[in-house]
Amino acid sequence: MKKPQIFIAMHYLELGGAETALIGLLHALDYSKVDVDLFIYSHRGELMPQIPPQVNLLPEMKAYANMETPIKETIKAGQFGVAAGRWLAHHKFNSYRKKVKPSTAFALYGFIGRYLTPFLPKIGNKVYDLAISFLTPHDIVLHKVRAKKKACWIHTDYSYVDVNTALEQPVWNGYDHIISISSDVSRSFCTKFPTLADKLLVIENIMPQQYIRQKSLEYTPEEMKKNHFNILSIGRFTHQKNFDNVPDICRRLIETTGRNDIRWYLIGYGHDENYIRSRISAAGMEEHVIILGKRDNPYPYIKACDLYVQPSRYEGKSITVREAQTLGCPVVITNYSTASSQITHGIDGMIVPLDNAACAEALAKIVVDEELCRHLRDNVAARDFSGMAEADKIYSIL
């Protein structure tokens, strides 16, 4: 009997939450039950070697590989339609932004999906049993892949982002299933798209635990001295992650604890880096808040840190928090709207206020409480954060 055929699309496999979640899913699937074709728009990223050998990686297509390159490079590559579609998407979004004045640029993805997709070629000739779009915009899998059923993933807390619901509603309507990473994310999505509640299915992020633990042993970070209290945060340098407030929080933390040995490391990259650096300078925290930039393998840093802090303004369900717990690290997250679905306060992590002063005060109590940190380490060491059984839900929608 022929196995069900699954198609999965993803932008690239650089280090990131959604990318790591996809690798976790691919490692959790039972390939005696299904065959998987994986289409990566641009074959780049540190996680590319982690694709399981049982997965059929489809060839890269030039049009898709140039979806996110600078437009000059896109034109130079001869992808004139892609360049035109991207220009049109940005033009339409800018017109929308002038009228609506959204607080975030998240709605741009909807415009890219609408106006770029017509310029893209069809993907393959197969008719799949299930086609999955793992990251927005979801127009591509909806219109460029043939399948009996289609599912798309949501990773974001929609209560914190602006979307053009009229533009996006037809795309969501075209899918049989909308897969959410938590019940809180589902609820936030329904505040924007209430008619889609019946399509939602929760599949928690799946962690590739063995891979994470192996990678954490590859080297010892020289920056993290044993005579310092080392705090770590990881994420893209964007408004969402709130790294711009880390220097002020760190300054207050040092003042409250009287500890000059605190070092707060930031791993990541993004367009807010210069702004974060200016905030470090303004707070006089050059010695204490250190930007490490992008790291191909951040796991030794997680393993070596004394405390992992996710100071985000909002999250769907942070993968890096799960990675830190997987490596037995005490974890602190801010009280964003989905925080309670991420950790159980006082058991496998701590939830602190988002306000800078209150956050620093709460962090100070944790930093000086060695018994609490030991308690958190012991609790996460005893738990399985892999979520491998979540993959079974994929078979249920075939």
Side-chain angles (χ1 to χ4, degrees), residues 103-120:
S103 60
T104 70
F106 192 82
L108 174 61
Y109 297 115
F111 286 87
I112 290 173
R114 169 66 64 87
Y115 295 103
L116 173 58
T117 302
F119 292 95
L120 297 171

Side-chain angles (χ1 to χ4, degrees), residues 157 160 310-315 332-341 345 350-355 359:
D157 180 353
Y160 281 84
Q310 194 67 45
S312 303
R313 290 180 168 96
Y314 63 91
E315 289 284 347
V332 175
I333 65 176
T334 43
N335 192 25
Y336 42 80
S337 63
T338 60
S340 61
S341 70
H345 179 69
M350 302 294 290
I351 301 174
V352 300
L354 187 55
D355 170 77
C359 178

Side-chain angles (χ1 to χ4, degrees), residues 166-186:
L167 184 75
E168 293 192 19
Q169 182 83 38
V171 180
W172 300 109
N173 286 343
Y175 279 87
D176 300 282
H177 301 280
I178 299 169
I179 298 172
S180 161
I181 59 173
S182 76
S183 56
D184 283 342
V185 168
S186 295

Side-chain angles (χ1 to χ4, degrees), residues 50-234:
Q50 300 309 315
I51 298 170
Q54 303 96 323
V55 172
N56 177 36
L57 178 63
L58 297 175
E60 189 180 77
M61 297 173 68
K62 279 190 176 181
Y64 290 90
N66 281 276
M67 281 174 51
E68 297 182 43
T69 58
I71 287 184
K72 284 185 179 178
E73 290 183 24
T74 304
I75 293 171
K76 195 179 291 184
Q79 297 300 315
F80 305 112
V82 175
R86 288 173 57 191
W87 179 88
L88 184 58
H90 282 271
H91 173 71
K92 294 286 188 179
F93 173 68
N94 287 334
S95 298
Y96 165 80
R97 185 161 55 178
K98 287 176 184 176
K99 293 177 183 176
V100 177
K101 295 181 173 54
S103 60
T104 70
F106 192 82
L108 174 61
Y109 297 115
F111 286 87
I112 290 173
R114 169 66 64 87
Y115 295 103
L116 173 58
T117 302
F119 292 95
L120 297 171
K122 295 282 186 182
I123 304 171
N125 297 313
K126 279 187 186 180
V127 177
Y128 292 92
D129 294 285
L130 176 66
I132 295 171
S133 175
F134 207 75
L135 197 64
T136 190
H138 298 305
D139 307 59
I140 293 169
V141 170
L142 182 62
H143 297 295
K144 300 299 177 179
V145 181
R146 293 193 298 163
K148 297 171 186 175
K149 292 183 180 179
K150 293 186 178 180
C152 57
W153 236 264
I154 51 174
H155 304 267
T156 302
D157 180 353
Y158 272 75
S159 60
Y160 281 84
V161 297
D162 293 294
V163 294
N164 184 329
T165 54
L167 184 75
E168 293 192 19
Q169 182 83 38
V171 180
W172 300 109
N173 286 343
Y175 279 87
D176 300 282
H177 301 280
I178 299 169
I179 298 172
S180 161
I181 59 173
S182 76
S183 56
D184 283 342
V185 168
S186 295
R187 280 191 288 271
S188 73
F189 180 78
C190 287
T191 64
K192 300 290 173 69
F193 301 99
T195 62
L196 297 169
D198 290 344
K199 289 179 181 279
L200 286 164
L201 169 69
V202 173
I203 297 182
E204 299 272 353
N205 286 327
I206 300 170
M207 298 298 300
Q209 282 194 157
Q210 185 178 0
Y211 163 72
I212 290 168
R213 287 170 177 160
Q214 286 175 344
K215 296 293 282 185
S216 74
L217 301 174
E218 285 192 350
Y219 63 87
T220 301
E222 295 180 0
E223 297 92 342
M224 289 186 170
K225 310 296 183 186
K226 289 188 176 179
N227 60 337
H228 291 157
F229 190 91
N230 299 298
I231 300 174
L232 178 66
S233 299
I234 300 176

